[in-house]
Amino acid sequence: MTMTIKQFNRFCLLTCAPFIGLFIWLLYSNMSISLPGTAYPKDAAAVPAITKQTGQLLGDLDLAKKTATATAQTLKKSIALYQATNASMNSIAKTASAQVGRPAKIYDRRITRKIGTPMQTIQSDNLQAQLFAVHAQNFSGYALKVKLKTDKGMKMVL
């Protein structure tokens, strides 16, 4: 089915006619639309309450800001103290590791000073053995000083 221009124009006029008529009637009628009083906000009572709540919120926000600032400063102090303590502990550990063998060296030196220099020394992974010749007024003999390096060294000595 084909439609001519004349039929198309009539179709458009029939579909648009009710809307055009309603528009013309609205223009010439004296109709007014009014909203009830409850539809409007209450200016006098609402504004002070909102202002009071806003003031409280701002005060709470200022308090939260002060608390956060104090917390941040406390954390910075704690971190600085932790780092200083860590540095001190590292220094103590370094000094202790450097001095760990010192008592054994002092003991070795004192014993060696009393019995003399070793005649022979044997070194292995498990032990260190030093043979000393001991000469006293009425006595001559040998002393063996053994330093165990591992628990396997004990079986080796026995």
Side-chain angles (χ1 to χ4, degrees), residues 88-100:
S88 296
M89 291 307 293
N90 284 339
S91 173
I92 291 170
K94 189 175 181 180
T95 303
S97 65
Q99 299 296 325
V100 73

Side-chain angles (χ1 to χ4, degrees), residues 8 36 47 50 68 72 76 96 99 108 146-148:
F8 180 73
V47 173
I50 292 173
K76 286 179 184 177
Q99 299 296 325
D108 239 13
V146 179
K147 179 180 179 183
L148 300 175

Side-chain angles (χ1 to χ4, degrees), residues 90-146:
N90 284 339
S91 173
I92 291 170
K94 189 175 181 180
T95 303
S97 65
Q99 299 296 325
V100 73
R102 192 167 183 211
K105 288 179 185 176
I106 292 170
Y107 175 76
D108 239 13
R109 190 175 43 215
R110 286 181 181 173
I111 294 294
T112 306
R113 194 179 314 144
K114 289 187 181 198
I115 58 178
T117 58
M119 290 176 31
Q120 190 175 4
T121 301
I122 298 172
Q123 292 271 2
S124 75
D125 292 337
N126 297 325
L127 62 88
Q128 174 188 3
Q130 293 177 324
L131 181 63
F132 295 91
V134 179
H135 301 289
Q137 216 172 18
N138 297 323
F139 176 76
S140 289
Y142 296 96
L144 182 65
K145 185 176 103 180
V146 179

Side-chain angles (χ1 to χ4, degrees), residues 3-55:
M3 189 185 304
T4 64
I5 295 176
K6 186 177 181 180
Q7 288 174 335
F8 180 73
N9 286 341
R10 284 183 185 165
F11 175 74
C12 288
L13 185 61
L14 286 174
T15 46
C16 294
F19 297 108
I20 294 171
L22 183 62
F23 181 69
I24 292 171
W25 180 78
L26 285 173
L27 283 175
Y28 287 111
S29 67
N30 289 329
M31 188 179 1
S32 65
I33 299 174
S34 62
L35 294 173
T38 57
Y40 298 107
K42 297 177 182 173
D43 294 334
V47 173
I50 292 173
T51 305
K52 182 179 178 185
Q53 290 174 349
T54 305

